[in-house]
């Protein structure tokens, strides 16, 4: 049904605290977080103050940008984080019997009141290696958050990015509908997809639960089964329909439809393209129009689009028009969507001309059926007349790349910077508690993201600063920023006295995302072979420190 | 931690009714199910008795079999299916204001007491086009179930199949651990993955919530962050460790470890391969052993596997051995797993020989890091010494194919068979309320699945029956079955007097799955180019009827 459902700024959901999915509990984590917790506790280290960075190493889908999403759910999660007695009993059962009782007493006290979370704003355009979250707190507690935070952010950011990419290819003018619930990876794979596809630029979803939870506009009409559940128009019992303005009543809408059908058949519009249309389809369309005279949208490919679906639709739509209603449109769910949409458009235009029905030529055409970035692009190249796309499987399961690889790395403990080495340089972590800035150039585009040590002076507008690649000494550039944006903001201050950023309603996050995407230099956004965003960089001081630490930690080889 | 956690036959979960995920409500469906519901109601058709088949058209991952999973969640869902007042209010809000009040009164009464569900047993090996579920009931109510049933079955079956394929490549002897929570598509993407990977043949999961819900054994030790959170062994305060039998105490376990480390360094085992090992790693291993002396498993690749991780592990393991404990093993999470596992094995064997520690050579080696079917296969070909595989991203997101395409098609209404046509023959539905049988041959292998009309006589052991491809007249074969198994059993009898099949505990479903996989002819199971299972077939009578109906419904073209 073509109708938005919005319950206040953030849907009916806005009143709730805690995670959207009640299954997101402190036990939604890896077992090793609890074994480590015990080992930290046993060593008396559990309260040591640690800093972890959450980041990804590579943009998904071969692109050069990512949309950050999932933050609100992380904050909801820690806002109510506390193990129940039942959960503690289970943890005890799952650990070796030698674990000491005192630990479980301690677990009872654990919450996130002493944790601080700094994050990029949800819906932002983000790049590899720059922390999306910096999480500080007692090492053992922050460790427990690793798995749920990654789980809540990885898919959210992935599917929001996928939605943004689909929007980019479809263009701003098209209506994009998320139809993926039935193929999603489980129930909240579906609900999450609906939320984050909306964030990434979709207009509506078919998922009723997501509509209710998040205030996302809902769309939906009928399926093939509805069409084939009818046998013929004879079975329609109540054939009457009031006119749109309520002034009159048509006692036999079924006959009115039949009349229009034969007019169309003998008119020039049809070019003699069809004979007898399918009667079960005609019955289904007529019935659906009787139920929703203001919202008549028909799925026209159950039998044959050109020879049955479109003429049947037009007959019903013209009958509705007689009574002052305007039909919404058709949906195509199979076949050559470019060709069929063009044929449908021609037919609608011919009807408008032949029968003098103003606006009929602009009747909306929705296309669905296994769409993805490539097929949207191909449709654009072929030329088509589709106004709205319903996209499911490829969108919500992120078929082209179904996982984003965010990681959560220790960068400092007890004020000591830590580095994670790897034989693969791209996997070496960037140590230290850091601040992150986005530097903008003269034309308003973001130029580079730079990380600095916590106590370094911030980059300043108009002041030249050296930006260095963290691991490649020859890659460096001076930048004179025209605008400087600090990326990590405080979303959970813990016991610090930092001001806490508000979590915005989903619609506002979506708006931020759309604005940030607008702001990017277009060549970063191209679907194929995009220009990389300037390699994420570090300050000269941080660069030197990283390399000092690296040499210190790496073993010296011995050639033999 | 290497410990199974099992709470009764089906975990702590067994007492609950309703869906595992509380977000699975009647609103977890597509909006068009409600618009159709209204249109059915308005046409007075909503109670017409309909039969829908749920099936898929193609096996995933280029294979020739699929594991059916998700049934229990479907039955849990309908067992408590009822719209709340709040949900009805939301549906009303999301439909056009012209919808009549009587409809919403009617919605209040709707439940699944009059629905019947026949299904293949969960954990069965299944094939394309044969219904996994046959759902009968009032057409409008059964339509509402389409989306949630597809959602609950598509991913469950996909990931169970993926797990079975990984098991097939890894071989029966290896331990397979599911480590995917952090990369899964949302929270219950993770929980579902853990459940259905266990069903498909995995041994354990890292996901604590899934361990609690389903009684799946848990595994987990420590991460890189744990290692780098330590600076040096000096920071270990409580250095004492009781011997395994409690008879004595070692006051300075740290020194004992150091002593072993220098012994190893100067022994033949090391071949002079390392000098100074990493001290933060040594401290972390020692601490972890002090916390879990019976379950010491160390992640050895934070700095350098050969020059630091393995010698450090061995020093701690030998110190534990002095006190009567047996170390569990190591985990490798990067690098050349085949090479490193062989080097580790050599080292362990050398230690066993040099220091006379029986069984040390068999110390367990776990490998993780982006494993999938291909890498398992490549490891097998190279030769390796890995005992257990921890598999995450590729397994749980089904990277190779992240969606299964189950559909839900109307096959009969009011005792009238219905067919859904399509220009693509593979998408034409098989009409009629059907029974499905698996026919077994002399060697005990399943030969073919056959669908018959509801009232046809069942295939009988020893009686020749003609099995026809539903859409290819030249493909047909006589079969004399040695065993006949009816596939669809009654899991929800509705108001019929059918006996209801029990839902088995997850462990028993897993066992059924393992047994059915064993029973398949090996060439169907091959990873590459498997032999197709004999094309799914229909009886001669059903074949004739399908083609009669097809001709009846399809429009006749006119060449111009």
């Amino acid at each position: 049904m073509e109708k938005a459902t919005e319950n206040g700024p953030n849907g009916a959901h806005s009143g709730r605290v805690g995670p959207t999915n009640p299954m997101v509990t402190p036990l939604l984590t890896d077992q090793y977080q609890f074994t480590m917790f015990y080992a930290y506790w046993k060593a008396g280290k559990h309260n040591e103050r640690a800093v972890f960075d959450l980041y990804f190493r590579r943009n998904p889908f071969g692109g050069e940008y990512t949309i950050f999403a999932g933050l609100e759910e992380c904050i909801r999660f820690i806002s109510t984080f506390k193990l129940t007695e039942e959960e503690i009993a289970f943890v005890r059962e799952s650990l070796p019997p030698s674990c000491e009782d005192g630990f479980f007493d301690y677990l009872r006290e654990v919450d996130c009141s002493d944790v601080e979370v700094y994050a990029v704003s949800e819906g932002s355009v983000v790049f590899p290696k720059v922390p999306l979250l910096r999480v500080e707190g007692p090492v053992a507690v922050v460790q427990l958050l690793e798995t749920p935070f990654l789980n809540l952010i990885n898919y959210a950011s992935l599917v929001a990015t996928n939605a943004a990419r689909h929007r980019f290819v479809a263009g701003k003018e098209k209506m994009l509908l998320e139809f993926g619930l039935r193929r999603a990876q489980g129930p909240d794979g579906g609900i999450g997809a609906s939320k984050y596809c909306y964030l990434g630029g979709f207009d509506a979803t078919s998922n009723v639960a997501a509509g209710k939870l998040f205030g996302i506009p809902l769309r939906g009409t009928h399926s093939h089964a509805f069409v084939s559940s009818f046998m013929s128009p004879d079975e329609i019992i109540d054939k009457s329909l009031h006119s749109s303005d309520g002034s009159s009543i048509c006692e036999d809408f079924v006959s009115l439809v039949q009349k229009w059908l034969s007019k169309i058949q003998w008119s020039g519009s049809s070019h003699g393209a069809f004979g007898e249309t399918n009667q079960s389809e005609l019955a289904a369309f007529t019935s659906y129009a009787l139920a929703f005279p203001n919202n008549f949208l028909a799925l026209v490919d159950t039998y044959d689009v050109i020879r049955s679906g479109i003429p049947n639709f037009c007959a019903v739509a013209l009958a509705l028009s007689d009574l002052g209603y305007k039909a919404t449109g058709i949906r195509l769910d199979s076949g050559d969507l470019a060709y069929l949409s063009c044929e449908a458009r021609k037919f609608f235009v011919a009807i408008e001309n032949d029968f003098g029905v103003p606006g009929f030529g602009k009747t909306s055409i929705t296309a669905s059926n296994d769409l993805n970035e490539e097929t949207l692009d191909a449709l654009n190249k072929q030329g088509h007349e589709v106004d709205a796309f319903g996209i499911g499987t490829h969108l919500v399961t992120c078929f082209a790349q179904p996982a984003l690889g965010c990681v959560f790395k220790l960068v400092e403990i007890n004020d000591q910077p830590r580095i994670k080495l790897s034989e693969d340089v791209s996997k070496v972590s960037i140590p230290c508690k850091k601040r992150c800035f986005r530097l903008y150039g003269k034309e308003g585009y973001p130029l580079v993201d730079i990380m600095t040590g916590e106590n370094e002076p911030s980059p300043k507008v108009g002041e030249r600063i050296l930006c260095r690649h963290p691991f490649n000494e020859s890659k460096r550039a001076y930048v004179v920023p025209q605008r400087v944006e600090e990326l990590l903001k405080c979303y959970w201050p813990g016991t610090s006295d930092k001001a806490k950023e508000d979590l915005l309603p989903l619609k506002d996050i979506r708006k931020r995302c759309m604005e940030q995407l607008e702001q990017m230099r277009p060549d970063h956004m191209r679907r194929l072979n995009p220009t990389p965003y300037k390699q994420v960089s570090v300050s000269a001081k941080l660069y030197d420190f990283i390399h000092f630490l690296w040499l210190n930690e790496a073993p010296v080889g011995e050639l033999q």
Side-chain angles (χ1 to χ4, degrees), chain A residues 16-64:
Chain A
R16 290 196 55 234
V17 292
T20 299
N21 185 344
M23 295 175 89
V24 180
T25 68
L27 297 199
L28 190 76
T29 199
D30 289 307
Q31 173 73 351
Y32 78 0
Q33 312 291 8
F34 283 108
T35 54
M36 284 193 276
F37 202 139
Y38 182 77
Y40 283 131
W41 179 85
K42 184 84 172 106
K45 269 177 81 75
H46 53 294
N47 278 326
E48 289 184 3
R49 197 88 188 155
V51 183
F52 285 79
D53 283 350
L54 187 153
Y55 60 95
F56 59 92
R57 298 186 182 116
R58 225 145 56 106
N59 290 303
F61 310 119
E64 290 295 342

Side-chain angles (χ1 to χ4, degrees), chain A residues 310-371:
Chain A
I310 290 177
N312 279 338
F313 164 79
C314 289
V316 176
L318 289 166
L320 283 172
S321 175
D322 279 352
L323 302 179
Y325 298 101
K326 194 177 167 325
T328 306
I330 60 166
R331 179 160 71 98
L332 299 166
D333 189 40
S334 59
D336 180 336
L337 300 174
Y339 168 75
L340 292 173
S341 68
C342 292
E343 288 299 302
R345 181 68 67 215
K346 273 192 247 165
F347 207 103
F348 296 156
V349 170
I351 294 267
E352 173 163 353
N353 296 335
D354 289 1
F355 301 107
V357 191
F360 201 93
K362 293 203 164 61
T363 295
S364 162
I365 301 174
T366 300
S368 46
N369 189 30
D370 263 351
L371 295 173

Side-chain angles (χ1 to χ4, degrees), chain A residues 60-306:
Chain A
F61 310 119
E64 290 295 342
Y65 68 99
T66 299
I67 305 297
F68 171 52
L71 175 61
E72 181 193 346
E73 292 296 337
C74 291
I75 301 299
R76 281 175 175 271
F77 174 60
I78 59 174
S79 74
T80 58
F81 185 99
K82 189 96 187 162
L83 281 93
T84 65
E85 283 304 316
E86 192 194 333
E87 288 167 344
I88 291 170
F90 182 77
V91 172
R92 184 193 283 261
E93 223 180 285
S94 75
L95 290 176
S98 61
C99 291
E100 297 167 27
D101 288 345
F103 172 68
F104 301 100
D105 295 336
Y106 173 69
L107 264 193
R108 271 184 197 95
E109 307 303 316
V110 168
D111 62 24
C112 289
S113 57
D114 197 21
V115 170
E116 295 167 49
V117 178
Y118 300 84
V120 176
S121 301
E122 188 158 4
S124 296
V125 174
V126 291
F127 302 99
K129 296 229 162 129
V130 181
L132 307 175
L133 261 71
R134 187 181 79 213
V135 187
E136 307 175 29
V139 63
V141 178
V142 179
Q143 272 286 186
L144 277 189
L145 304 177
E146 174 180 30
T147 317
F149 274 18
L150 289 173
N151 179 277
L152 293 168
I153 288 170
N154 267 324
Y155 176 61
S157 300
L158 183 73
V159 74
T161 308
N162 204 21
R165 294 178 61 86
H166 280 76
R167 166 58 74 195
F168 184 82
V169 178
K172 280 186 219 166
E173 306 310 317
K174 299 299 173 189
M175 174 78 84
L176 291 184
L177 316 170
E178 176 271 310
F179 281 178
L181 178 57
R182 64 188 59 195
R183 302 283 168 81
Q185 295 200 351
D188 75 8
I191 290 172
S194 304
K195 176 176 180 181
Y196 297 114
C197 287
Y198 182 64
L199 187 160
F202 270 56
D203 297 297
T205 178
S206 65
N207 179 343
V208 184
K212 181 166 187 295
L213 280 167
F214 309 117
I216 306 171
L218 289 173
R219 289 293 182 285
T221 54
H222 67 80
S223 69
H224 295 118
F226 182 82
V227 173
S228 50
S229 77
F230 286 80
M231 305 298 283
S232 95
D234 301 341
E235 68 186 291
I236 299 175
I237 300 158
D238 182 357
K239 303 175 181 183
S240 66
L241 183 62
H242 274 95
S243 63
S244 171
D245 60 7
S247 66
S248 65
I249 190 161
C250 165
E251 293 296 345
D252 191 350
F253 185 72
V254 176
S255 295
L256 185 61
V257 169
Q258 298 277 17
K259 198 190 75 188
W260 271 113
L261 186 62
S262 74
K263 275 201 204 177
I264 300 167
Q265 266 163 342
W266 299 109
S267 79
S269 332
S270 71
H271 310 294
F274 64 98
E276 189 84 353
T277 62
N278 186 287
Q279 292 301 291
S280 75
E281 182 176 69
L282 186 64
F285 290 0
T286 307
S287 252
Y288 197 80
L290 286 166
F292 299 110
N294 277 304
N295 309 78
F296 177 58
L297 196 155
L299 175 64
V300 294
D301 69 336
T302 306
Y303 299 102
D304 188 302
V305 173
I306 304 286

